[in-house]
Amino acid sequence: MSENRFRVGVLAVSGALSAFLLLERTAWPPHEDEALALFVGAHPLGEVFDTVLHERGGAPLHFVLAWLVVHLGGGLDALRLASALFAVASIPVAYALVRRLADAATGLIAVTLLAGTWVLLFHGVYARMYSLFLLTSALSYLALLSATETGRRRDWALWGAATLATLATHPYGALVVATQAVFAFLARVRPRQCLTAFALLGVAGLPFWYADLVLAHRFDVSVGGGGDTLGSPGSVTLYLGRVAGDFSSGWPPLNLAFLALAGLGLVRLTRARGQSALFAAAILGLPALVFTAARLGHSTSPQSRHLIFALPFFSMLVAAGLRALGPGRRGTALAAAAVAAALAAEVGWAWHKTPELFRGDPQARVSARDSAAAWLAAGARPGDVLFGYEPVFLLAWERSRTLARTVVPRADGKLALDVLGRARRPLGRGIFVLDAGDSTNLEARPTIPFRLPRPASRFEGRAFGPYLVIKTRRPTRTVAGFLDAAASAMNLGRNLRIGDAPVNLEAIRRARRGLNPQVSSGPPSGDSFRSTSR
């Protein structure tokens, strides 16, 4: 099979993925993390950097992209198109990477499998940073291979640019750098050049290391004893097994089959190209050691998406295992049938895990969300203060850009207090949304009863299907007044069995203690909306 045919195959895979992502980009319902990026991006660029680097922590590149989208007049659809673009662009880059490590045939099989995984299909639609993280990390790995092969300054500069982009995309970019450093040390490739390049990267990446420390402090992440770990080696193994399932097919028998193929592929690659096998082993093995040693706070929950940088290498090993099924025409036919079956298993898992990605949200829920957003947009006032990055707020903002840009994070008491402390005084009305159909509830319900928080005379609201939208009738004026209103609304949410209401109440309690250390450490009262809101 000629190189041109392989390239046509990669083009076909990219085209099929593009068609799926374009068709399904509006199927997945809006999410609060997408609203977060766009609301932060609605502020001036300097404020975006200040918010991401100094307050929230983490990597700023996705938020800069959201800023660009907003200031070009776009919204959620445009940001999702960007995610789709990065996902599709990852296919030829992953092919080039696997082709360099193995061969063209393995590369084509690998990107075919990669394109059907849940982790890529979902994050190609979901307007967060993970498809961009996949693209930048794959470019960084590819550039490292070129630089260590040629030793040219130009190639090292390209590696530095790609790796800085990776660090700017996600805090787990530090793991990407760590896997590269481990490979460079074990393979002993151009040790002096590598030492210089990694030292320069460490200096150039200082803003990102700082932002990662801010994020780690927020979520209580460190290394060593004295706190919760991801678990024992057993729990780390279970976590990595779930990652492998989302990189292939998560049903246990099929997951084991994919893992067996990956193991066979690693053996085959070790015999044919030992250094490539070492590279893959460093990338897939180091996270297990890191997670075993890390101490993680209760609010930290690593997911398969955090290791998306390892996806091309896992797919490469599975592809190599499929190619090892047998020689000759009969073996080729068997491998082709196995690839088709593996792809079907992957897509089936994606459908099972996130059916809304394929069939969309129920129309009644979509209509209710649109109606709630229209009602909010019609009555928007610039001084309003929104609680949480609710999708209803995002849709209302897209209808009327005059909707308030002050959004108080709902699950982080310290960050909520920081946002309220910077907001213009007097604070406007508090606005809250309770969603009975959210997946965090013990039972997702299509409707919610209309009730108002206590005292009801201080609130107004309307119910739209599963959404209950609540406003204070008058401005809350002070931080204490807003927090009391939020406590009343979240107490109602707890009574209505809204899944995230208890977490929100705990965050409000912490914010109130930060505002006034003398405030009782007990849960906020549902009747605590005081005269400060008048």
Side-chain angles (χ1 to χ4, degrees):
M1 191 171 179
S2 68
E3 178 62 28
N4 285 338
R5 291 186 177 181
F6 285 118
R7 290 174 179 170
V8 169
V10 173
L11 185 62
V13 172
S14 302
L17 180 62
S18 299
F20 175 84
L21 297 179
L22 287 174
L23 288 171
E24 300 299 327
R25 75 183 187 280
T26 59
W28 171 249
H31 191 273
E32 64 177 326
D33 289 332
E34 297 172 310
L36 164 64
L38 289 165
F39 274 116
V40 170
H43 291 83
L45 188 58
E47 290 185 24
V48 172
F49 279 113
D50 185 61
T51 297
V52 177
L53 295 178
H54 300 298
E55 293 178 6
R56 301 195 66 87
L61 188 55
H62 177 67
F63 290 92
V64 173
L65 175 67
W67 174 86
L68 184 62
V69 166
V70 171
H71 287 81
L72 289 175
L76 179 58
D77 189 58
L79 196 58
R80 285 188 169 183
L81 282 173
S83 284
L85 175 64
F86 299 138
V88 173
S90 300
I91 296 299
V93 176
Y95 169 75
L97 179 60
V98 176
R99 181 181 181 278
R100 193 176 198 115
L101 289 169
D103 52 64
T106 303
L108 179 57
I109 296 172
V111 297
T112 301
L113 296 175
L114 187 153
T117 60
W118 171 84
V119 77
L120 185 64
L121 293 177
F122 178 68
H123 292 98
V125 169
Y126 191 22
R128 291 196 71 192
M129 69 287 291
Y130 292 99
S131 61
L132 178 60
F133 187 31
L134 173 62
L135 175 61
T136 56
S137 61
L139 285 169
S140 175
Y141 284 124
L142 184 60
L144 179 69
L145 292 174
S146 296
T148 54
E149 180 181 321
T150 66
R152 294 181 299 195
R153 289 186 178 180
R154 182 185 68 182
D155 291 333
W156 279 112
L158 290 173
W159 169 77
T163 308
L164 284 174
T166 303
L167 293 172
T169 300
H170 197 279
Y172 276 53
L175 259 182
V176 173
V177 175
T179 58
Q180 294 178 353
V182 167
F183 165 72
F185 174 76
L186 294 177
R188 299 188 180 278
V189 289
R190 301 188 183 274
R192 289 186 179 180
Q193 287 189 352
C194 284
L195 184 61
T196 301
F198 280 98
L200 291 174
L201 179 72
V203 174
L206 281 174
F208 308 122
W209 310 131
Y210 168 75
D212 292 347
L213 286 174
V214 172
L215 183 67
H217 179 71
R218 280 184 60 216
F219 287 101
D220 188 23
V221 179
S222 61
V223 175
D228 296 330
T229 63
L230 186 60
S232 55
S235 63
V236 172
T237 300
L238 289 174
Y239 164 65
L240 295 177
R242 292 194 297 270
V243 173
D246 288 340
F247 282 8
S248 55
S249 185
W251 288 297
L254 293 178
N255 194 0
L256 290 174
F258 275 97
L259 287 170
L261 284 169
L264 178 60
L266 181 61
V267 171
R268 187 175 188 269
L269 196 62
T270 301
R271 291 173 178 172
R273 302 195 179 193
Q275 193 161 316
S276 295
L278 179 63
F279 196 48
I283 293 159
L284 295 173
L286 184 63
L289 298 177
V290 171
F291 283 127
T292 300
R295 181 179 65 82
L296 305 176
H298 291 290
S299 58
T300 308
S301 180
Q303 304 293 325
S304 55
R305 59 178 177 264
H306 296 123
L307 299 185
I308 197 171
F309 62 85
L311 177 59
F313 302 93
F314 182 82
S315 296
M316 175 183 71
L317 295 182
V318 173
L322 288 169
R323 292 198 66 207
L325 289 178
R329 291 185 177 180
R330 181 173 298 179
T332 301
L334 177 62
V339 170
L343 187 60
E346 289 178 343
V347 175
W349 175 250
W351 190 306
H352 170 78
K353 182 161 185 172
T354 314
E356 298 90 347
L357 186 61
F358 296 85
R359 68 188 186 206
D361 230 5
Q363 187 55 46
R365 182 171 168 82
V366 173
S367 298
R369 188 164 55 236
D370 288 343
S371 298
W375 185 68
L376 270 176
R381 298 178 191 172
D384 291 341
V385 182
L386 313 178
F387 185 72
Y389 293 93
E390 295 288 345
V392 170
F393 294 154
L394 174 60
L395 298 183
W397 172 79
E398 289 187 333
R399 289 171 176 265
S400 173
R401 297 291 172 107
T402 61
L403 188 73
R405 295 181 182 179
T406 301
V407 186
V408 179
R410 64 174 181 79
D412 187 322
K414 182 180 183 302
L415 192 56
L417 201 56
D418 290 342
V419 171
L420 287 167
R422 290 196 325 272
R424 182 176 298 178
R425 300 290 196 282
L427 297 176
R429 300 175 304 171
I431 303 182
F432 314 92
V433 172
L434 303 178
D435 181 4
D438 192 83
S439 59
T440 61
N441 300 333
L442 289 176
E443 177 188 0
R445 290 157 284 157
T447 60
I448 190 169
F450 175 71
R451 295 183 194 169
L452 291 177
R454 294 185 293 173
S457 60
R458 302 193 188 275
F459 295 91
E460 62 177 323
R462 285 186 62 179
F464 303 87
Y467 301 100
L468 177 58
V469 183
I470 301 165
K471 303 177 185 177
T472 60
R473 292 184 180 274
R474 296 176 180 176
T476 55
R477 302 189 65 83
T478 67
V479 174
F482 178 84
L483 291 175
D484 284 342
S488 297
M490 292 305 108
N491 263 302
L492 174 61
R494 182 171 59 181
N495 293 336
L496 293 175
R497 295 176 292 128
I498 303 300
D500 56 14
V503 175
N504 296 340
L505 280 168
E506 174 62 20
I508 293 167
R509 182 187 69 82
R510 294 189 180 199
R512 292 178 66 186
R513 290 198 64 184
L515 180 67
N516 180 4
Q518 313 244 331
V519 171
S520 168
S521 62
S525 166
D527 298 318
S528 61
F529 190 20
R530 302 182 306 232
S531 59
T532 52
S533 64
R534 291 178 182 174

